[in-house]
Amino acid sequence: MSKILDFLSKLDVSYENGVSEREQIRPHMESMRSQFEELADRPDIIDTISEGFPPLLQIEKKEITYQGKTYYYDQQRKIHNRYYRFMPKYIAMCFTTQHVQSIVKMIPFFDGPIRVCSGRHDHEGECMGTDALVIDLSGMNSVQVFNLEKEQDNNYAIIDPGIRFIDLITQLNQNGVGIPHGTCHSVRVAGFSFGGGWGPWTRAKGMGCESLAGVTIVLGDGTVKELWDEKLLPKKANGEPVASMTDDDRKLLWALRGGGGMSYGIVTSLVYKTFQLPPYTTKFTVSWKNGKALEILEKWEEIISGDNPDLLGTNLKIMAKSGDDQSTGQGCYFYGYYQSSDVDQNAIRKVIGQWFHSDLTPDDVTFQDGLSADPGENGLNSNSFWGGLSAWDRVIDWKDNSNSPLQYSGLKSYEFIPPEVDDPAPRKITSKLVKAGHEGGGLGKAGREILIQSLQSDLLEQKGFDAGLACYITLGAISGSFYTEYNSEINKKKRGEYDGSAFPYKSSPYTIQYQVWWNQNGVNKQADQFVNKALDWLEWCRDLDFPQTYGAFISFKDASIPTAVYFQESYAKLKDIKKNYANDPLNRLSTRKTII
């Protein structure tokens, strides 16, 4: 124990006067590295101070137990995108801010790459790495909800970075409050927030990062800072007013709102401003097996740019076709998240009927109500069937067995929009965003034609689709009441330069996400022979001359896209903030797509 405490005290000295002091001890770094290796290989030493230093998983040390729960190296190293396989040197299982602080102080004396993970949903696998030191936050997974009753505008939740949306939303639901969460059940809140955070509430509440009111962050030298934005949360639950942020801290929090993760430090808790849930929410799916994709796209653009305040969020999926497919239509799926004052699906069906009539009549309209969480000892009540849902970004065969809403039992609870089951699978993804200003609030006629034409290619074969390969686009609506008000001239005048978020696409109508998925759960390996051609198709779509689009969405990461493209006009500011406030002069807190 004394050896590791002595080791950490030397690291404190190394940072005391910045880089110059570190240079003075550089000749001793090799011996320091040797000590690190020795400590990592001595579970008896590590375990005796487990509250101050995180337990480490290794290839040679395949499991550790912390507070009664066992964690396995082979499980923790796997990421959601099964296209990648990594073998990290160490996985530091962090359960407290102090754990993170201790391991961060060791970073300068570790030769390999540094990675940070919580949910492992990074599409390019940058949350994990071979021979890396991985700082794993998935064990930090609690939430505290603070309701101030009559002062509902001040309600908030303090959320750990590793909590899954399925657990977070259930607990928020029990308190009758929500946040602008994501769609997939196993995504964690941290990476979601720092990438921007698209989800089923985006039209009404904005991207998730807009509600991020504070953080606890460990900077590159191990310094811990607590940032609270008094403009979003004037006071805490104990009645104490939140102190005004310094200009430097405001810049740092601004960067964390959509400016990418890891770059500025490691966040160990997030403070989210919450909202009161509406009386009733439902998810609907409008589907066409052989739809007129061009006309459906135009109508969807009209819907998201129109006056539809009860449509909380929506995305549109359009399936790709093989090059020799001469059919006139394509599979189209319009997913919507809707609020109303009571359980009246017929009223919502009527609205949908007004949107799509005559020659655009859908083949099917189905509903899946917000599920209620039973606050009792057994968690979700037995009527809550999560397994019946599929991820919004996958192909779904919806079957509507009943038009009646689900029946609930137990104590009073609140209905909400549940996340969807998202099993790991290999995939490749790329993205664009639509420029503002075209007629109809979308791509315009020429842009729509280019988009639909891109979905038919000789690189795609029907045999591949039959074997389980899935190629399609998903369009995620951004435009809606939140950003209409946010972008108004009156609000622009009220905002300071670093109020709001670093998310650069507030004026974009929607995201475009090209996707290739295959062999979910290892099913039907026959699809493998078609994958390379499908990836060529996706790369062709990425590089398509498409003047109605720009940028890319960092949550849909594609390593081939230059970093600056993701962050647009925010990029220069984000680089300055990284340089001046992250306390990371050697840029160890970085991957290929973090801020440089």
Side-chain angles (χ1 to χ4, degrees), residues 216-230:
T216 299
I217 185 170
V218 180
L219 302 181
D221 61 352
T223 299
V224 178
K225 293 182 74 71
E226 186 178 272
L227 314 177
W228 283 62
D229 187 348
E230 81 283 359

Side-chain angles (χ1 to χ4, degrees), residues 372-376 379-383 407-414:
S372 288
D374 186 344
L380 291 174
N381 69 47
S382 59
N383 291 318
Q407 301 298 311
Y408 309 116
S409 62
L411 300 176
K412 180 180 178 181
S413 56
Y414 296 82

Side-chain angles (χ1 to χ4, degrees), residues 445-454 544-548:
K445 184 176 184 296
R448 287 191 294 271
E449 290 175 351
I450 293 173
L451 185 65
I452 299 305
Q453 288 169 5
S454 73
L544 185 64
D545 184 14
F546 205 165
Q548 294 87 350

Side-chain angles (χ1 to χ4, degrees), residues 231 485-497 499:
K231 294 183 179 180
E485 184 177 347
Y486 184 98
N487 293 323
S488 68
E489 290 302 319
I490 211 167
N491 276 333
K492 286 179 181 178
K493 292 177 181 177
K494 290 180 181 179
R495 280 198 302 273
E497 184 178 5
D499 292 332

